[in-house]
Amino acid sequence: MLTIELINNNIPRLQLQDSVGKALQLINDFRVTHLPVVADSKYLGMVSEEDLLDVEEEKMPIELMQEAFTNPSVFENEHFLNAVNCSNQFDTTVVPVISQAKDFLGVITTSDLLKALGNFAGTNEIGGIIILEMERTSFAISEISRIVESNDATILHLNTTIQKDTGLFTVTIHINKKEISSIVSTFERYDYDVLYYFGTELFENKIHSNYKHLMNYLDI
């Protein structure tokens, strides 16, 4: 999904001649942290609620605050995940979308990004979740996929994160079946470390946890 597809046209834009008071009122009304500033359809940057609150004179035009403007933005033809990264990097609830000529096209809100992320991750699909932990060198999508498919299941979404303290991979797998105990057993048979899993047989998690504690105890 491209950023242009997620533009929210309900969020207002500011002009340089708009007052600090007007900007603060709009930020409050639309419950955002920033608003874009535009001149002759060109994107100039974003002004934050925090910087606006530091101004004592509410009638002052925001034109005099240009040094405080930040410049987060994404191009219209970028993948929406770049907008997610931009939102996180600049800690803003709206991400401006611009053309290659830097014409302002609109903004994407974090609520719309969250919905897009949910669809991207397949959260609207019924299924189970398995979370594995492994060394980076042991990560092989082909083998993980083979194990899942050998149990007549399909991976809907797979995500990896790196634990900063250990450097280990955490692999989260969303599967199209909720009955996943057989898949978990297969992963363990191939010596994968299954941290958690979530399916219809929730009681299995407790049994699995008790089993691991017992094995750890016997290893002492």
Side-chain angles (χ1 to χ4, degrees):
M1 182 179 293
L2 300 181
T3 55
I4 190 71
E5 300 175 61
L6 293 176
I7 285 180
N8 187 321
N9 292 311
N10 295 321
I11 305 299
R13 64 194 71 179
L14 295 170
Q15 305 290 330
L16 288 174
Q17 64 269 25
D18 288 331
S19 69
V20 169
K22 178 181 178 180
L24 281 171
Q25 186 61 55
L26 288 172
I27 280 178
N28 182 66
D29 290 345
F30 287 87
R31 298 180 180 180
V32 293
T33 58
H34 298 71
L35 279 176
V37 184
V38 178
D40 298 325
S41 80
K42 297 297 183 182
Y43 172 61
L44 301 180
M46 294 254 278
V47 63
S48 71
E49 180 181 27
E50 184 178 355
D51 288 331
L52 289 166
L53 289 171
D54 287 337
V55 178
E56 296 181 1
E57 179 53 63
E58 288 195 353
K59 292 183 179 180
M60 186 185 85
I62 61 172
E63 181 177 12
L64 301 180
M65 297 180 60
Q66 289 189 67
E67 289 186 0
F69 290 0
T70 57
N71 285 283
S73 65
V74 291
F75 290 113
E76 60 185 315
N77 57 353
E78 291 186 68
H79 194 275
F80 85 93
L81 287 179
N82 289 337
V84 174
N85 181 58
C86 183
S87 176
N88 290 336
Q89 181 181 351
F90 288 91
D91 195 21
T92 175
T93 57
V94 293
V95 178
V97 181
I98 61 175
S99 70
Q100 294 294 330
K102 295 195 175 180
D103 290 319
F104 178 78
L105 303 177
V107 299
I108 305 173
T109 65
T110 50
S111 59
D112 289 331
L113 284 175
L114 183 59
K115 292 175 185 176
L117 274 173
N119 292 331
F120 180 72
T123 54
N124 56 339
E125 299 281 348
I126 296 175
I129 293 175
I130 299 175
I131 302 173
L132 310 173
E133 184 180 71
M134 65 190 69
E135 296 286 348
R136 185 183 304 196
T137 54
S138 300
F139 175 65
I141 292 179
S142 57
E143 182 173 313
I144 291 172
S145 180
R146 180 182 60 79
I147 290 173
V148 172
E149 291 173 1
S150 70
N151 286 274
D152 297 321
T154 301
I155 295 176
L156 298 173
H157 185 261
L158 184 147
N159 181 67
T160 63
T161 55
I162 301 176
Q163 299 178 26
K164 293 182 179 179
D165 53 341
T166 63
L168 293 174
F169 257 30
T170 299
V171 183
T172 302
I173 313 166
H174 184 194
I175 297 169
N176 69 333
K177 291 173 61 175
K178 296 201 92 176
E179 298 78 12
I180 57 175
S181 56
S182 62
I183 304 174
V184 171
S185 297
T186 306
F187 274 118
E188 292 182 328
R189 191 164 66 249
Y190 282 90
D191 294 324
Y192 281 91
D193 188 5
V194 180
L195 291 182
Y196 310 101
Y197 62 94
F198 307 93
T200 52
E201 304 116 328
L202 295 179
F203 68 91
E204 290 285 351
N205 281 290
K206 185 173 182 180
I207 296 173
H208 177 259
S209 177
N210 290 338
Y211 173 78
K212 290 188 72 173
H213 285 313
L214 176 61
M215 291 300 99
N216 289 335
Y217 174 77
L218 293 176
D219 285 340
I220 295 176

